[in-house]
Amino acid sequence: MRKIKEVIVVEGRYDKNTLSQVVDATIVTLGGFSVFNDREKLAFLRRLAEKQGLIVLTDSDGAGFVIRNYLKGALPKDRVKQAYIPDVQGKERRKRRSGKEGKLGVEGMRPEVLIEALRRAGATFLDGGEAPPAGVPLTKADLFELGLTGGQNSVSRREALLKQLDLPEHLTANGLLEALNLLYSREELETVLGSSAGEGDV
């Protein structure tokens, strides 16, 4: 499995399932066209782009390009790479019939095709021990210790933290953990939490 530095953006969960069996990377789903009205998700993507870089990998049909073009205008161009899958006629196994244009989407692509698409997009492969030095990642136990999960006021604490850090309010505890590890080192987060402790809720 190839390790990739950038965050990869795909349309839906089936695309994510397929890709997660091919690459070791952070994969974020857009929820199809719902991203058009999701300002929080867009703000989150912008921050991920600035922090790690993004690779947009949508289907090769018209809908995929509508989403791709929307993201091109909404995200910083110098931090986003575009990965394109080839036009392949067919249908995914889970579907009764093929899509409107009869093309396979990301979920129907063979692993080597996906790797090649990412390589052509300029993905940063980190297989050879060239990964950037990483701090100690936050864990679920850390979230519990910080009072963000499993406690009496953990939901309100988590909501306050999400608001303070400008993260989507609908992030689950697992999503919050992933976002925090992407955007902050442990030290940075402790500083944020320390500075807000005097203000009350977080």
Side-chain angles (χ1 to χ4, degrees):
M1 189 176 286
R2 305 299 304 272
K3 186 173 179 64
I4 290 177
K5 174 192 169 190
E6 291 88 358
V7 175
I8 304 173
V9 178
V10 295
E11 289 180 48
R13 61 191 175 97
Y14 291 106
D15 300 330
K16 180 176 180 176
N17 291 345
T18 295
L19 200 56
S20 62
Q21 295 170 47
V22 179
V23 295
D24 176 7
T26 300
I27 304 166
V28 176
T29 59
L30 296 170
F33 288 156
S34 68
V35 73
F36 295 166
N37 301 311
D38 193 339
R39 290 183 184 177
E40 289 181 338
K41 175 70 72 77
L42 267 183
F44 184 45
L45 291 174
R46 282 193 198 101
R47 294 179 69 188
L48 291 177
E50 293 295 347
K51 186 85 174 179
Q52 270 184 259
L54 287 184
I55 298 175
V56 176
L57 179 62
T58 60
D59 293 349
S60 62
D61 60 6
F65 273 85
V66 168
I67 293 170
R68 185 188 295 276
N69 289 332
Y70 174 75
L71 292 178
K72 277 183 181 177
L75 300 173
K77 289 181 176 56
D78 60 325
R79 302 293 299 158
V80 179
K81 297 172 180 177
Q82 302 289 334
Y84 299 94
I85 57 171
D87 280 343
V88 178
Q89 296 299 309
K91 77 171 185 67
E92 284 80 14
R93 267 182 248 168
R94 71 179 177 87
K95 295 180 179 174
R96 289 189 177 177
R97 55 174 69 95
S98 58
K100 197 187 295 182
E101 297 175 38
K103 297 174 183 177
L104 286 176
V106 169
E107 68 167 292
M109 290 291 133
R110 298 191 314 278
E112 60 270 24
V113 174
L114 292 171
I115 290 290
E116 184 58 23
L118 292 166
R119 190 194 310 282
R120 286 183 179 176
T124 308
F125 289 94
L126 301 172
D127 303 302
E130 16 168 338
V136 181
L138 294 158
T139 64
K140 288 184 180 178
D142 292 320
L143 293 189
F144 180 77
E145 278 179 36
L146 293 167
L148 296 168
T149 60
Q152 194 174 353
N153 300 315
S154 58
V155 172
S156 59
R157 281 173 169 270
R158 203 160 63 239
E159 286 172 354
L161 181 65
L162 289 170
K163 191 170 185 179
Q164 183 186 355
L165 300 181
D166 265 341
L167 291 171
E169 65 176 325
H170 300 298
L171 273 184
T172 61
N174 285 340
L176 172 63
L177 182 63
E178 184 177 63
L180 291 176
N181 274 319
L182 281 169
L183 296 167
Y184 298 94
S185 68
R186 180 184 290 261
E187 295 73 24
E188 288 169 338
L189 183 62
E190 283 172 357
T191 302
V192 168
L193 291 169
S195 68
S196 60
E199 298 164 20
D201 207 66
V202 181

